[in-house]
Amino acid sequence: AASPPLPAAMSSAVDTKLAAEEAHPMSDEERPWYDMALQAVPEDQRAAFGSIPNDVLCVVRGFQHAKHRKEDTLKSVVSIAEWRQSVNYYNIFNSALPCFQEFHSNWKESIVGPDSYGHMIQVIRIQDVDVDAIEKMDQRQLEALQGQKMKAYAVYKEDMSRQRGVQRYKHTLLIDLTHIKMSMVSSSSKRHALQHIFGIGSKFFPETIWKIYLINGPMVFRAVFSLIKPILAPETIAKIQMTGSFESSLKKMEADGIPRSAIPDWMGGTCKPQQTSEYINQLILQRRTHSPKVVGGQPGGGPPPMNVNQQQQMQQQQLQLSNAFGSMGLGRTPSAGGAHGASSDANGGVNSVGR
């Protein structure tokens, strides 16, 4: 089961500390682990892998508390590199992949947010998922399509980080469990398809989840969740919040620093979701490269510009992060002018937002 929720004040303090750690550039302690992990990547893709420093940093931070840190870090980065090679990851927006329309018609997702820390929110509504159709798809095509989608979310976060001036490589996952049925997992092939899709994010995009909200979950969901749970890392399971109705979920999310302006309109917020398939099509039309592509002075295909309220929230967040950095002895908060690329900071670390 998920960990019991913390009191609101304590949760806010913990979240502020974690957000500050996420925003902080690579530390001197992390640097040799970063170099070691990057050296483990096959030489023919090392430059591409390392061109987005956060791709390596997420692996380093994701296994920093592992019992066998070196072994697990190297095993993960090699596995990610092999998978990237198999799905042509570095050119994944060169064109629409086979069965693109079929996949996104039967597994619809959308984007809302950001929360008060600057995290985007990935939304899945079970009523928009046709497991029967997904089950019949070719597994290799399914893996590439899910990989393209996760890469799109990574691009979205990179662009938002540049826009807001704060490093953010994590995002929140919101799953509306309304209409979930046991028939969705009635066969081993259906269970395998679900595990395969969720497993891609868990295995090949480590340390990228901020929180997970499971809302409107009936009792039958516990049986479904038991199938997915084994492929999730303990750290991911600890981030899961199981809430009830839209109303109670709304209150919980607001207490966690997600304003109504970032919550989907269908559950009581005011944010109109952007369809993930439409966003990916934007990246394909731009032929978005693995390295940042700037259009008119701004990264192409990114989130919409911030409104006045969002700018005020960002300024308040910067102040909170600055205070958190001070209390943690981490030094300054990355600024908009210094949070991009991979420039060295005063302590020899790498400020590694974006590509």
Side-chain angles (χ1 to χ4, degrees):
S3 301
L6 295 169
M10 188 182 299
S11 176
S12 178
V14 171
D15 285 351
T16 298
K17 178 178 180 294
L18 293 174
E21 292 174 347
E22 179 188 5
H24 198 263
M26 186 188 306
S27 68
D28 290 340
E29 188 276 338
E30 291 171 328
R31 183 74 216 200
W33 290 94
Y34 177 99
D35 293 339
M36 178 192 70
L38 188 56
Q39 281 300 117
V41 175
E43 186 175 359
D44 60 350
Q45 64 167 297
R46 192 175 299 151
F49 203 123
S51 68
I52 305 179
N54 274 351
D55 282 6
V56 186
L57 188 60
C58 282
V59 178
V60 171
R61 290 182 174 177
F63 293 95
Q64 63 181 327
H65 300 302
K67 183 178 180 180
H68 305 289
R69 183 180 182 183
K70 180 177 180 180
E71 177 184 346
D72 291 347
T73 299
L74 294 178
K75 182 179 179 181
S76 176
V77 77
V78 169
S79 176
I80 292 169
E82 291 175 348
W83 174 79
R84 288 184 170 191
Q85 188 72 25
S86 71
V87 299
N88 195 24
Y89 185 82
Y90 302 109
N91 300 299
I92 208 158
F93 297 123
N94 278 6
S95 61
L97 297 177
C99 299
F100 178 92
Q101 190 61 41
E102 179 185 356
F103 175 65
H104 288 283
S105 295
N106 293 306
W107 189 291
K108 297 176 183 176
E109 294 187 14
S110 59
I111 302 169
V112 295
D115 67 11
S116 59
Y117 296 105
H119 298 109
M120 62 153 273
I121 302 171
Q122 171 191 359
V123 180
I124 302 175
R125 304 192 73 184
I126 293 300
Q127 66 186 39
D128 293 331
V129 174
D130 185 342
V131 180
D132 291 326
I134 293 296
E135 171 196 18
K136 297 172 184 175
M137 292 186 64
D138 179 81
Q139 290 299 296
R140 295 178 70 87
Q141 290 180 345
L142 193 64
E143 190 162 319
L145 288 159
Q146 179 67 9
Q148 184 185 58
K149 180 169 62 183
M150 296 303 297
K151 170 65 171 175
Y153 290 143
V155 170
Y156 193 97
K157 288 180 283 188
E158 291 157 13
D159 288 353
M160 182 174 286
S161 293
R162 291 189 187 91
Q163 185 186 86
R164 299 174 71 91
V166 178
Q167 175 170 276
R168 288 286 171 253
Y169 47 76
K170 297 182 181 182
H171 70 275
T172 286
L173 173 59
L174 170 64
I175 304 181
D176 173 20
L177 298 165
T178 306
H179 304 309
I180 192 169
K181 301 176 181 177
M182 277 302 296
S183 61
M184 297 182 71
V185 291
S186 59
S187 68
S188 59
S189 57
K190 289 181 182 180
R191 294 192 292 271
H192 176 75
L194 288 173
Q195 290 175 332
H196 195 55
I197 287 177
F198 285 109
I200 289 170
S202 180
K203 288 187 289 187
F204 305 129
F205 296 85
E207 194 63 7
T208 56
I209 290 293
W210 175 250
K211 290 180 185 293
I212 300 175
Y213 293 94
L214 305 175
I215 67 175
N216 265 351
M219 288 300 295
V220 69
F221 171 68
R222 297 189 181 279
V224 178
F225 182 65
S226 67
L227 300 171
I228 300 173
K229 188 176 179 180
I231 66 173
L232 301 177
E235 296 80 5
T236 300
I237 295 173
K239 298 173 184 178
I240 295 175
Q241 304 283 335
M242 291 190 185
T243 59
S245 65
F246 288 164
E247 183 179 359
S248 62
S249 300
L250 191 67
K251 291 178 179 178
K252 172 58 180 170
M253 292 173 72
E254 287 185 299
D256 287 347
I258 305 178
R260 291 199 177 214
S261 60
I263 296 174
D265 50 12
W266 49 261
M267 66 173 288
T270 61
C271 185
K272 182 175 177 57
Q274 177 182 12
Q275 295 302 307
T276 300
S277 59
E278 294 176 359
Y279 176 63
I280 296 175
N281 272 324
Q282 291 178 23
L283 300 179
I284 293 172
L285 287 172
Q286 296 163 5
R287 293 180 66 85
R288 177 68 180 248
T289 61
H290 185 62
S291 299
K293 181 177 182 180
V294 176
V295 180
Q298 295 293 330
M306 291 181 288
N307 58 36
V308 174
N309 289 336
Q310 289 173 326
Q311 291 175 359
Q312 291 174 343
Q313 290 170 2
M314 184 190 71
Q315 291 169 355
Q316 184 178 12
Q317 171 203 351
Q318 291 272 21
L319 179 60
Q320 290 175 333
L321 290 176
S322 180
N323 293 336
F325 272 103
S327 65
M328 294 163 60
L330 293 177
R332 64 178 177 82
T333 303
S335 65
H340 308 155
S343 57
S344 298
D345 66 16
N347 297 318
V350 173
N351 207 338
S352 56
V353 166
R355 320 179 161 236

